[in-house]
Amino acid sequence: MLIAYVAGLLAGFGGAVGITVTCAAIVLAVAATMRRAAWAALAALVAAGAVTADAARHAEESCAAAALRSETLTVVVDAPVAPGAYVRARVASCPVTAWLAVERGTAPAGATVNAAGQTIASTRGIVVQHARVSVRRGAGLLSRWRTAAGAGIDSVFHGDAPLARALLIADTRGLSPDVRDRFAVAGLAHILSISGVHVGLIAVALDLLFTLLGASRRVAALVSLGVIAFYVAMIGFPPPAVRAAVMLGVGIVTRLAQRPTSPWAVLAVGGVEPVFDSSVAADLGYQLSMIGVGALIAGAALVDRLALNRLPRWTRSIVAAVVGTTIATIASAPLVAWYFGRVSLIAPASNLAAGPLIALAQPMLFCGMVLAPLRPLALLIADATHPLLAGLDRVALWSAAVPYAAIQVAPTRLDGVLAAIACGAVLVACASREWPRAALVAIAAVAALAWRPLAPGPSSLAELHVIDVGQGDAIALRTPHGRWVLFDAGRAWAGGDAGRSTIIPYLHRRGGALAMFVLSHPHTDHVGGAASVLRALQPARYVDAGFPGGASAYRASLVAARDARVRWTRAHPNDSVVVDGVTITFLAPDSAWTASLADPNLASVVTLVRVGDVRFLLTGDAEGPEEDWLLANEGDRLRADVLKVAHHGSRTSSTAAFLAAVRPRLALVSVGAGNTYGHPSTSVLAALGNAATGGAQVLRTDQLGTIVARTDGQRIFLEAGGEKWELPRSPAP
Ligand SMILES: [Zn+2]
């Protein structure tokens, strides 16, 4: 019943309400004529879910639209507010995320504030630029506790504090991108966000502690439940933690009432949150946690059925752990693949190794946080926890370093549905006595999935095409699904432009839709063909730095975008878009930085494109000062295999410090033959080739024409000037 309702909700959020309700109505009619009451009930639930979700989605959209129109937003901030900060917040009146680029005012984390400024829509919610913040209501008691707990963690755990913050109070802001990346590749990302497992481990430890202190079982259970409830409230009710706490509560109550209950029933009660708040159904943490617990219960049932009674007790529990972990990893793989475009093959092994470490570390971390006021004791615990956390990081590091630890996938909707059916059937086959039927369904779904081209063939490569448009930039990124993201659109001249003459025919010949257009800055050699491209190819989105002014071609592009109903959004540092498994992250420009500038070059949108382990850095016409800003603010993320050399190789860009930070293996210069600017500069070319900065291979469009770099996420294959070759791998550092 719950699954049917949640499935309906998901369909509704996915925008498929019409087709879902139609299908449900057909099933309902058929079931009514066949007198199958259960079927009819399920169909009705699916329809109800879809309609509810659709209504919620519309309410959210109209609320967000109203917020965008208003001069002043009332929001609850997630982090301390200070001038210059870029803070995440929640709109008070609707479940919409807002980001404040703070110009004036201060406020503590958790406070409700009025933010006046310029509101614009962005990929990750509403952005308030030049926000002037005034406190409306101070932080609530719970968020003050959370802030205090964070300070306690920092003072006790020192170097381990970022990891401890993530594991204890669901604050992942301090984790470096490298740590996140290696946990993701190792299939351990779920450890970094608080899930039911974390809460469950703390509960078990508390129960044990109170029992040791001499409390009766009943008292111990109830007191730990109270502590857990307070803890979940303090960390802001993340859905997986709520699910775990509710399940714990139900488990304890049924145990105290001595009424043994099916674990499935307990799970259903724990997963009931979407009935009260439909948006929870779309929460990745909620979905993963429901699947994970379902898989563990199914695994336990399977171990029971395998009749391992003859094995010694400890062997049996190890087998149970291995089976449970493996099933959980397999069952959650489709969801992870869908959201992150990645399947971690090492996950079953890495989870097995990480499991005992986290099981020991989590209760100790919790004690360290609670005992922070008793400093010597807390420090002792922190010291004891350190090897466990270091071990956890080692497991992630080693697992991520294994060849083919993770593979890139780009599943379509149909792939997703097939994989979900396969996983559901596997779970049923594990848990149910009538397993043959379920196993048959699983095999059929897997067969259908295997028949579909998931990865093989040249289409599984992502491609970067530096199109020869003479003096100017036009860089087309092709996803493994054959869709395009275009960065800049070349120049314009009297009576024509590079969009019409070169770019549109180039993309048409190869096929595939344009998903997004990114403009680095509004100079004519970049925006010249934009209006033609937007009119002809109608991408879903147009992203740029929002720098005021610029060439007439820029204004023409905005008009074209409006006419073609292309959504315009501003690039913000750290905004990421994933297109068919390719991650596109904007690193610059920062709005505060842009506001003080007169030269659009210096406000170039700088983009990091990641395909597996391969990184492309696209820099537009950024010059020295912006490179310095990047070094100061994004220094640890600039390293890239492929660099689109800034400003056509001008000597005002590509400073030594910047090249040393990027250390590209391949440098691509988009420049017109015989241009009057003297691009590219010989000193920049020398610096790029210099062994001291890694010694990049330099390719120029004025010599080779269009250059194509293809990658599978590991290796890079080049095609230019009628030749094909593989880029040598970087020598070991
Ligand atoms: Zn330029």
Side-chain angles (χ1 to χ4, degrees):
M1 302 283 261
L2 183 71
I3 292 174
Y5 185 66
V6 170
L9 284 178
L10 289 177
F13 280 120
V17 62
I19 189 159
T20 311
V21 171
T22 313
C23 289
I26 293 170
V27 173
L28 195 65
V30 172
T33 54
M34 289 170 65
R35 293 174 189 281
R36 291 281 188 100
W39 285 30
L42 287 182
L45 274 174
V46 170
V51 172
T52 310
D54 196 56
R57 201 162 57 100
H58 279 300
E60 191 175 309
E61 275 169 6
S62 63
C63 182
L68 271 174
R69 280 194 302 272
S70 64
E71 297 275 292
T72 305
L73 271 186
T74 305
V75 298
V76 182
V77 292
D78 277 5
V81 170
Y86 192 63
V87 180
R88 203 175 112 121
R90 202 158 21 83
V91 177
S93 52
C94 42
V96 173
T97 305
W99 298 83
L100 311 181
V102 183
E103 198 170 272
R104 232 184 308 143
T106 56
T112 307
V113 303
N114 285 336
Q118 190 189 349
T119 51
I120 40 181
S122 103
T123 51
R124 293 189 302 170
I126 297 169
V127 178
V128 184
Q129 297 219 73
H130 310 292
R132 296 175 301 284
V133 173
S134 57
V135 177
R136 206 172 139 132
R137 195 169 61 240
L141 188 63
L142 287 172
S143 51
R144 281 214 299 275
W145 274 84
R146 187 173 179 216
T147 309
I153 291 171
D154 290 343
S155 77
V156 170
F157 289 100
H158 304 293
D160 291 330
L163 200 50
R165 270 176 171 268
L167 294 174
L168 284 171
I169 55 171
D171 174 9
T172 54
R173 281 172 298 156
L175 289 174
S176 81
D178 284 347
V179 171
R180 285 181 214 224
D181 269 0
R182 63 172 167 262
F183 272 76
V185 172
L188 296 171
H190 59 97
I191 286 183
L192 294 181
S193 59
I194 290 206
S195 70
V197 179
H198 301 76
V199 177
L201 285 170
I202 294 171
V204 170
L206 282 172
D207 198 41
L208 199 68
L209 182 72
F210 291 131
T211 313
L212 284 180
L213 287 177
S216 73
R217 288 200 61 169
R218 172 185 288 253
V219 172
L222 289 177
V223 173
S224 354
L225 191 61
V227 175
I228 290 291
F230 176 76
Y231 170 65
V232 170
M234 184 187 85
I235 60 178
F237 297 108
V242 173
R243 196 266 307 144
V246 171
M247 279 183 67
L248 272 173
V250 174
I252 287 173
V253 169
T254 53
R255 208 172 67 207
L256 292 181
Q258 301 197 321
R259 291 244 179 105
T261 317
S262 152
W264 293 108
V266 180
L267 176 62
V269 175
V272 83
E273 211 183 341
V275 176
F276 304 108
D277 178 1
S278 55
S279 65
V280 169
D283 181 273
L284 175 62
Y286 169 81
Q287 295 169 1
L288 280 176
S289 106
M290 288 299 283
I291 289 181
V293 178
L296 289 181
I297 299 177
L302 180 66
V303 170
D304 277 353
R305 276 228 318 282
L306 289 177
L308 301 169
N309 299 333
R310 274 169 297 162
L311 290 176
R313 203 185 139 91
W314 63 273
T315 323
R316 211 163 62 214
S317 43
I318 290 180
V319 170
V322 172
V323 170
T325 314
T326 312
I327 294 180
T329 346
I330 294 172
S332 54
L335 208 54
V336 175
W338 179 258
Y339 278 96
F340 302 108
R342 168 148 58 192
V343 174
S344 176
L345 300 179
I346 196 85
S350 63
N351 276 284
L352 225 49
L357 292 171
I358 191 76
L360 281 173
Q362 187 69 22
M364 288 168 70
L365 283 169
F366 187 75
C367 291
M369 176 176 75
V370 172
L371 297 176
L374 304 172
R375 207 171 149 69
L377 198 55
L379 287 177
L380 202 68
I381 294 174
D383 283 344
T385 318
H386 176 73
L388 295 172
L389 294 180
L392 197 61
D393 195 44
R394 262 313 132 79
V395 169
L397 197 64
W398 286 338
S399 309
V402 171
Y404 299 105
I407 52 168
Q408 300 286 321
V409 292
T412 61
R413 259 164 205 257
L414 181 58
D415 296 332
V417 170
L418 283 173
I421 291 174
C423 285
V426 166
L427 289 190
V428 173
C430 289
S432 155
R433 276 173 213 292
E434 296 171 33
W435 60 273
R437 225 192 309 174
L440 216 61
V441 172
I443 291 169
V446 169
L449 201 59
W451 185 67
R452 291 184 52 77
L454 237 195
S459 65
S460 68
L461 300 179
E463 308 174 344
L464 192 79
H465 298 242
V466 181
I467 303 172
D468 180 14
V469 287
Q471 180 70 9
D473 272 2
I475 294 148
L477 172 73
R478 189 171 214 207
T479 72
H481 276 180
R483 292 202 289 168
W484 296 93
V485 176
L486 181 67
F487 299 86
D488 294 343
R491 65 210 168 97
W493 52 88
D497 60 61
R500 251 179 293 171
S501 71
T502 313
I503 300 166
I504 296 167
Y506 189 91
L507 299 188
H508 269 162
R509 268 201 304 281
R510 285 158 182 80
L514 180 63
M516 182 163 77
F517 173 64
V518 182
L519 180 70
S520 68
H521 67 294
H523 274 160
T524 310
D525 57 334
H526 298 254
V527 75
S532 303
V533 167
L534 293 168
R535 279 211 182 84
L537 303 178
Q538 306 199 339
R541 284 174 44 194
Y542 176 1
V543 180
D544 102 44
F547 193 87
S552 61
Y554 177 56
R555 288 192 295 279
S557 78
L558 292 179
V559 171
R562 196 190 58 205
D563 293 346
R565 294 175 183 277
V566 178
R567 194 154 61 91
W568 182 90
T569 50
R570 188 199 183 290
H572 256 289
N574 295 324
D575 270 0
S576 274
V577 188
V578 180
V579 186
D580 302 341
V582 177
T583 311
I584 298 163
T585 308
F586 303 111
L587 303 183
D590 178 70
S591 55
W593 158 263
T594 312
S596 61
L597 295 175
D599 183 355
N601 277 356
L602 298 183
S604 281
V605 174
V606 176
T607 314
L608 180 69
V609 176
R610 286 185 295 166
V611 183
D613 294 337
V614 172
R615 300 156 69 98
F616 301 86
L617 188 63
L618 310 177
T619 51
D621 280 357
E623 299 188 30
E626 189 174 7
E627 293 177 345
D628 290 344
W629 186 92
L630 283 164
L631 284 168
N633 291 281
E634 306 278 5
D636 51 344
R637 295 211 284 182
L638 293 176
R639 206 210 61 71
D641 304 275
V642 180
L643 172 68
K644 199 295 292 184
V645 177
H647 202 183
H648 323 289
S650 159
R651 70 163 63 81
T652 51
S653 306
S654 307
T655 59
F658 185 72
L659 293 185
V662 181
R663 296 182 70 82
R665 286 190 277 153
L666 176 68
L668 303 172
V669 185
S670 180
V671 63
N675 69 78
T676 51
Y677 305 94
H679 295 159
S681 131
T682 43
S683 61
V684 167
L685 292 176
L688 286 167
N690 189 339
T693 53
Q697 198 171 107
V698 183
L699 305 179
R700 303 162 49 169
T701 55
D702 59 339
Q703 295 175 338
L704 296 165
T706 294
I707 303 162
V708 182
R710 298 186 170 84
T711 181
D712 58 357
Q714 301 284 336
R715 300 158 73 184
I716 298 173
F717 307 92
L718 296 168
E719 182 178 351
E723 286 189 43
K724 289 185 176 187
W725 69 101
E726 184 180 352
L727 186 70
R729 288 180 186 236
S730 52

